[in-house]
Amino acid sequence: MDKNNTRSGIPKEKFEFADRDSTISEKKFNHKPIGYFRDAWNRFRKNKASIVAAIIILLIVLYALIVPFLGISEEMNLYYAKKGPRMTWLRAFGIADGGVDEAFNDLTYIKLLAIGAAAEDRDGTASVSFAEGQTSEYQPVLESQGYTAQALPGGRYKFTYQARVDSYLQLGFVNMQVTQSEYAKILEWQEESGLQVIYPLIDEKSGYFYSGAPEADKANYWYKTNQRGAPVSVNEETGQVTALSLSTDLRLEDNYLRDANGDPVYHTYTGGGDIHTAAYKVRVLYYNYYQYRTGSEPNYLLGTDSQGYDMALRLAKGIRLSLLVAVFVSVINFMIGGIYGAIEGYYGGLLDLIMERISDILSGVPFIVVATLFQIHLAQKLGPIPGMLFAFVVTGWIGTASRMRSQFYRFKNQEYVMAARTLGARDRRIILKHIFPNTLGTLITSIALVIPGVVFNESMLSFLGIVNLGTAETTSLGTLLSDASSIWTNYPHLMIIPAVVISLMMICFNLFGNGLRDAFNPSLRGVEE
Amino acid sequence: MIKYVIKRILLMLFVLFAITTICFMLIRILPREIPQDKVLQQAYRDRWEALGYDEPLMIQFGIYLKNIFTNFDFGTSWYVSPNTPAAEVLLDRLFPTILVNLYSLLLSVPLGLMFGVLAAVKKNKWQDHLISTMVIVFVSVPSYVYAFLVQYFLYFEWGLFPLNVYSLADAGGSWFTFKMFYSMVPAILSLSFGTIAGLCRFTRAELTETLTSEYMLLARTKGLTRWQATVRHALKNAMVPILPMILSGFVGILGGSLIIEQIFSIPGVGQLYIKAINLLDYDLFMMDTIFYTAIGLLSGIVIDLSYGFIDPRIRMGEK
């Protein structure tokens, strides 16, 4: 209506033909034609969630590719297993300080605080007081969070101390066997670096040694204790023993092993070998021993895993394995499923019927059973990974095949196929050149959606212990989770890190796959399979 | 109609038979685990010989089938619970699985439908965006992650629920006590998140399709309110594909979830399966295989057949 009015309002002579002389029918388009993939890309680009998902996937892949080449030690360190994240340069900001919140009774709390005093006391003279030890950099307590006292019958109290402790320093001292040559090397390193590794041994036969301590903790009871592990003071002359309690002016009496001159003993010969292989028993401050071994303070950005490997590295390896398996499986499925579905759909009839029954049977076997059978049969000969790959491939292609088949049914009677056939094109040409390109979108989408399924199933199989992928070199996300599953309540980072990564991967791959499907096949938008 | 049903069931039996045959062969050729104990070793050897485990494979299969059809005997559990018929062991374990999954389904079906309907009705509004985002997250995140989250919060942080499902004795000797239900809550919750999200997504997709169809326009033109039209027409039509999915979910509760049963130590079928593999109890493994296969096939059939019952317009078996 409006249009007519304005037109009628303008005098007729003002109108003229725009292109009277030129003919636009012969003109070439001056923009490029938009092909199938270009069109899909244009649509995909508008889907913000999918773009974000694709970027996250890219970052995860980059992480998995780059981290193994950063020179992170692949060594397994049993002493530093299950520890939290710790980065020296991040400690200043209060994050990644290796800290855990723990509760202690008064005896274990004294032991913990005494590590600092013992570490500062380099020559074994017990010259460093308990209070001075608190300021030592080897003192594990990062933050004392107060204590609670619970009244016990008989007028005594049970104290519980809450503290945030550096789990790396908490290990304190460790008794070790080293060879004589290594002992010499450590002494040399001590000279160079000015850090002390070897500390006086403890006199285990003095009668004031806490023999009931856990094996890993024995080297930390360097002071005189009674049989309960409580620090005591011994009067040299009368032999009278008085129990000490936690206070600011606490003075612990050392229980170092001493020779005839009264000097502390740093090593004892425990037997064996010549000058290079003779074994020495020594007591080392593990934190410094670690520096001697690796050349740096313990730096684990994501902590260590349940076996003592660097979590950041294990995670990268896990992601790499999971993704490799997923990509490999989806490519194989793409090929088998594509060919199988194409033959079924194109030829139809009896052939289709028979092939459908075969895939019926295969798809009827529960995946978990297939995976178990392949593991039992093949894992011994080929290793667990090929066994698992076979299991994925045996049943995985069926979905792709049936999608392919329905696509072929849809396209094979279209006019352009008939035209091609009339012109004498062979079956192979029709399948590959005429129908296949039309089904490509569906196929790519189904591949993208296979990946999260494989990642999930892989993690499930390793989690349930059906597949065991954890070795010194390889691990998978599911293995990390499965290792953590029984102990994660004490070490949450063991569970949280792989769980977050695997969830992120699943979400992103699903979003990405959905985006691809919408892009390739806009008519299917919002329809779920 | 009846012809089609019979055809489908026969086909299912054929597939089941084929799978049983393949799995039987693959499992029987495995070397049998021999007990450490000398006396037991001899006893088992004798028993296996009597049961024909040393015969050629085909004859073994014949014996196996004969036993199934004549005695309903699926072999014997040798290690998980020694010298008990495999079928009996499985049936004992069936109940906890069914119970946990049934509870979970009873929780998730109404919630899933509700959120799905809400998202579809409020399409492209903030409610829809919120629900759709949550759905993507909850569908993707693996179920064991929920299990850990649930354990962490409900047990460690807040101390509301026990870590594992109580044993029968702890819960007062019955599966139906409140105490038993209470200890199952974490497992039920962890199972439900994924199911709710899946159902919600499906419902939303189906309902948005029916909401835009022409009969809705007619219904509104007739003077029905939006609510009436949605409930009476759109929802009813959307239920045609949704209901079979729910029904097959009910068949699926027999199978249960391996991971959830493992994490919450539910003494169910899934845990039995893992135990049977770990102890190399092959007869039981075979029994479990048949069981899982049958359930998978059954739920497929239920989906197919229920379409016809729910919506008479769908003529079954027609090309």
Side-chain angles (χ1 to χ4, degrees):
Chain A
M1 286 294 256
D2 241 336
K3 228 177 179 180
N4 282 344
N5 276 342
T6 37
R7 202 156 97 191
S8 60
I10 301 167
K12 206 180 176 186
E13 58 271 16
K14 284 225 170 182
F15 285 95
E16 61 175 80
F17 289 105
D19 289 326
R20 198 157 204 182
D21 305 322
S22 67
T23 48
I24 57 169
S25 59
E26 297 290 315
K27 240 184 182 171
K28 268 193 173 173
F29 290 118
N30 48 18
H31 57 84
K32 272 191 186 165
I34 295 178
Y36 183 58
F37 284 97
R38 186 60 196 259
D39 195 30
W41 166 240
N42 282 345
R43 270 193 298 265
F44 184 77
R45 218 167 39 175
K46 287 197 191 106
N47 193 337
K48 284 199 198 78
S50 297
I51 293 284
V52 172
I55 290 171
I56 295 177
I57 291 171
L58 204 67
L59 289 179
I60 292 176
V61 171
L62 280 180
Y63 175 85
L65 289 181
I66 291 173
V67 167
F69 296 103
L70 291 183
I72 297 171
S73 161
E74 301 207 9
E75 209 176 319
M76 185 171 90
N77 189 330
L78 278 173
Y79 288 102
Y80 279 162
K82 311 184 194 83
K83 301 289 184 205
R86 185 182 202 273
M87 249 347 196
T88 320
W89 57 276
L90 279 174
R91 296 189 85 193
F93 306 105
I95 46 172
D97 54 3
V100 279
D101 293 325
E102 266 187 60
F104 303 90
N105 64 28
D106 45 358
L107 300 185
T108 48
Y109 199 54
I110 289 175
K111 178 210 76 183
L112 200 64
L113 290 171
I115 289 174
E120 290 303 318
D121 177 23
R122 292 175 163 226
D123 44 9
T125 53
S127 56
V128 182
S129 79
F130 186 70
E132 280 161 11
Q134 308 300 300
T135 56
S136 162
E137 58 175 312
Y138 298 107
Q139 201 276 116
V141 178
L142 294 168
E143 187 192 353
S144 170
Q145 295 161 332
Y147 64 90
T148 54
Q150 188 191 352
L152 293 176
R156 291 189 307 147
Y157 288 94
K158 184 186 167 201
F159 289 98
T160 308
Y161 296 87
Q162 285 291 338
R164 187 172 171 76
V165 293
D166 184 327
S167 52
Y168 291 81
L169 290 170
Q170 193 183 4
L171 189 64
F173 296 91
V174 172
N175 285 324
M176 270 190 186
Q177 301 273 359
V178 294
T179 60
Q180 192 180 357
S181 55
E182 193 176 0
Y183 184 75
K185 253 191 260 168
I186 296 177
L187 288 181
E188 206 175 293
W189 186 82
Q190 280 190 169
E191 289 283 306
E192 271 171 37
S193 64
L195 297 168
Q196 183 151 357
V197 177
I198 295 174
Y199 280 82
L201 286 165
I202 292 168
D203 189 356
E204 301 192 358
K205 298 194 176 70
S206 69
Y208 302 111
F209 172 65
Y210 181 30
S211 53
E215 200 53 51
D217 236 4
K218 278 193 168 147
N220 285 329
Y221 287 95
W222 57 274
Y223 47 85
K224 285 181 179 157
T225 68
N226 61 17
Q227 281 315 302
R228 278 176 51 243
V232 291
S233 162
V234 182
N235 190 320
E236 291 288 333
E237 283 142 33
T238 59
Q240 197 193 351
V241 178
T242 41
L244 301 170
S245 63
L246 184 60
S247 63
T248 44
D249 53 352
L250 174 66
R251 188 141 204 121
L252 297 167
E253 291 183 10
D254 73 85
N255 186 29
Y256 292 135
L257 191 62
R258 290 178 192 279
D259 59 14
N261 300 333
D263 293 330
V265 176
Y266 286 88
H267 63 88
T268 51
Y269 173 71
T270 55
D274 52 24
I275 189 157
H276 293 296
T277 57
Y280 278 177
K281 182 187 178 184
V282 290
R283 175 169 165 265
V284 299
L285 179 60
Y286 195 79
Y287 193 79
N288 281 351
Y289 181 74
Y290 183 91
Q291 295 191 52
Y292 156 72
R293 285 288 299 274
T294 62
S296 68
E297 288 182 67
N299 280 323
Y300 295 103
L301 185 58
L302 299 178
T304 58
D305 76 352
S306 53
Q307 289 154 298
Y309 292 106
D310 191 323
M311 187 61 132
L313 186 69
R314 292 298 261 184
L315 194 66
K317 286 183 171 176
I319 296 171
R320 203 169 56 179
L321 182 68
S322 298
L323 280 181
L324 268 182
V325 168
V327 169
F328 184 78
V329 167
S330 54
V331 168
I332 299 272
N333 286 350
F334 168 82
M335 294 198 289
I336 301 179
I339 295 169
Y340 196 92
I343 294 173
E344 269 185 312
Y346 185 75
Y347 293 105
L350 185 65
L351 187 70
D352 178 31
L353 200 73
I354 295 169
M355 289 173 89
E356 266 295 89
R357 288 296 85 78
I358 293 173
S359 63
D360 265 0
I361 291 173
L362 280 178
S363 70
V365 192
F367 172 72
I368 189 96
V369 172
V370 180
T372 314
L373 280 174
F374 271 93
Q375 276 307 307
I376 298 175
H377 278 283
L378 289 180
Q380 300 267 309
K381 290 171 212 147
L382 298 176
I385 299 176
M388 191 173 69
L389 285 178
F390 270 112
F392 274 119
V393 168
V394 162
T395 53
W397 54 269
I398 292 167
T400 316
S402 77
R403 232 161 277 148
M404 196 68 174
R405 174 174 171 266
S406 58
Q407 290 291 313
F408 263 76
Y409 264 109
R410 198 174 124 200
F411 289 114
K412 73 174 179 186
N413 290 326
Q414 301 234 325
E415 283 79 2
Y416 63 87
V417 176
M418 282 182 205
R421 192 171 292 137
T422 320
L423 287 171
R426 280 195 224 140
D427 283 351
R428 206 177 65 185
R429 191 180 164 82
I430 295 176
I431 291 176
L432 287 179
K433 289 263 169 181
H434 296 275
I435 307 182
F436 184 70
N438 281 306
T439 64
L440 211 53
T442 321
L443 215 53
I444 289 174
T445 310
S446 86
I447 288 169
L449 288 172
V450 161
I451 292 177
V454 174
V455 171
F456 171 72
N457 279 324
E458 180 275 315
S459 71
M460 183 183 78
L461 290 178
S462 15
F463 188 87
L464 291 173
I466 294 173
V467 180
N468 185 10
L469 297 175
T471 63
E473 281 85 40
T474 60
T475 186
S476 75
L477 290 173
T479 312
L480 287 177
L481 285 169
S482 142
D483 287 346
S485 64
S486 52
I487 49 171
W488 69 281
T489 48
N490 294 326
Y491 314 100
H493 77 279
L494 290 183
M495 176 60 69
I496 292 169
I497 294 167
V500 165
V501 170
I502 209 165
S503 307
L504 209 57
M505 266 164 73
M506 298 283 290
I507 294 172
C508 289
F509 271 111
N510 276 331
L511 276 176
F512 180 68
N514 287 348
L516 275 186
R517 184 195 52 207
D518 293 349
F520 279 115
N521 224 337
S523 60
L524 279 180
R525 188 177 304 235
V527 180
E528 311 297 341
E529 288 185 78
Chain B
M1 171 80 192
I2 291 171
K3 208 174 138 195
Y4 178 72
V5 174
I6 292 171
K7 200 176 136 196
R8 276 306 311 252
I9 291 174
L10 283 180
L11 197 65
M12 176 192 127
L13 289 177
F14 164 72
V15 171
L16 183 62
F17 178 75
I19 293 172
T20 310
T21 314
I22 297 169
C23 290
F24 182 85
M25 302 298 169
L26 286 175
I27 292 173
R28 271 295 158 89
I29 56 174
L30 292 168
R32 290 197 154 259
E33 180 81 354
I34 297 162
Q36 299 288 326
D37 183 50
K38 280 269 155 41
V39 184
L40 205 62
Q41 209 170 27
Q42 195 51 46
Y44 273 15
R45 282 242 169 84
D46 293 346
R47 193 135 163 65
W48 286 341
E49 206 184 326
L51 287 170
Y53 285 5
D54 303 331
E55 305 279 336
L57 215 52
M58 288 316 283
I59 297 177
Q60 282 190 41
F61 189 52
I63 298 173
Y64 187 69
L65 287 183
K66 197 188 99 197
N67 282 339
I68 290 176
F69 285 116
T70 53
N71 302 331
F72 200 67
D73 173 13
F74 286 86
T76 313
S77 161
W78 301 107
Y79 298 103
V80 173
S81 52
N83 280 321
T84 322
E88 204 175 283
V89 177
L90 188 84
L91 285 177
D92 276 351
R93 298 295 193 112
L94 205 52
F95 206 67
T97 302
I98 292 181
L99 207 60
V100 172
N101 285 279
L102 187 67
Y103 284 143
S104 152
L105 213 57
L106 289 180
L107 175 74
S108 7
V109 168
L111 282 179
L113 284 178
M114 207 176 75
F115 287 127
V117 170
L118 183 66
V121 170
K122 301 273 179 190
K123 196 179 177 207
N124 289 335
K125 298 213 175 88
W126 66 266
Q127 293 97 329
D128 177 35
H129 292 309
L130 181 71
I131 291 176
S132 297
T133 318
M134 298 292 279
V135 159
I136 278 284
V137 173
F138 279 108
V139 161
S140 309
V141 173
S143 57
Y144 47 80
V145 176
Y146 302 130
F148 293 126
L149 285 179
V150 166
Q151 274 190 340
Y152 187 76
F153 285 108
L154 294 189
Y155 174 71
F156 285 103
E157 286 288 303
W158 303 328
L160 294 176
F161 291 97
L163 187 60
N164 293 327
V165 170
Y166 289 141
S167 68
L168 202 53
D170 280 348
S174 160
W175 291 108
F176 292 107
T177 53
F178 176 74
K179 212 172 160 195
M180 180 56 90
F181 172 74
Y182 168 75
S183 74
M184 280 177 178
V185 168
I188 295 166
L189 283 181
S190 341
L191 273 174
S192 301
F193 286 119
T195 324
I196 294 176
L199 191 59
C200 171
R201 179 165 76 165
F202 197 65
T203 310
R204 179 185 174 276
E206 292 299 329
L207 194 58
T208 42
E209 209 180 306
T210 53
L211 276 176
T212 48
S213 52
E214 259 121 45
Y215 54 74
M216 280 298 287
L217 198 64
L218 176 69
R220 292 300 301 280
T221 330
K222 279 195 306 192
L224 269 66
T225 61
R226 201 172 161 204
W227 173 250
Q228 285 171 324
T230 307
V231 172
R232 289 187 203 165
H233 295 277
L235 199 56
K236 218 168 162 184
N237 278 293
M239 286 311 271
V240 171
I242 296 171
L243 217 53
M245 191 178 145
I246 296 175
L247 281 178
S248 87
F250 273 98
V251 177
I253 62 175
L254 290 169
S257 158
L258 287 164
I259 284 193
I260 297 293
E261 289 191 6
Q262 192 76 357
I263 292 175
F264 292 100
S265 41
I266 302 168
V269 184
Q271 212 191 32
L272 182 70
Y273 181 83
I274 302 293
K275 263 193 186 164
I277 300 168
N278 286 341
L279 297 175
L280 300 178
D281 198 335
Y282 291 129
D283 282 11
L284 207 54
F285 178 33
M286 186 66 217
M287 170 86 245
D288 251 329
T289 303
I290 296 179
F291 178 73
Y292 277 132
T293 312
I295 286 171
L297 295 174
L298 204 63
S299 73
I301 275 205
V302 166
I303 291 186
D304 269 14
L305 296 187
S306 55
Y307 267 108
F309 289 111
I310 293 161
D311 188 355
R313 286 173 305 177
I314 298 172
R315 293 261 174 271
M316 283 191 300
E318 279 182 10
K319 289 273 153 92

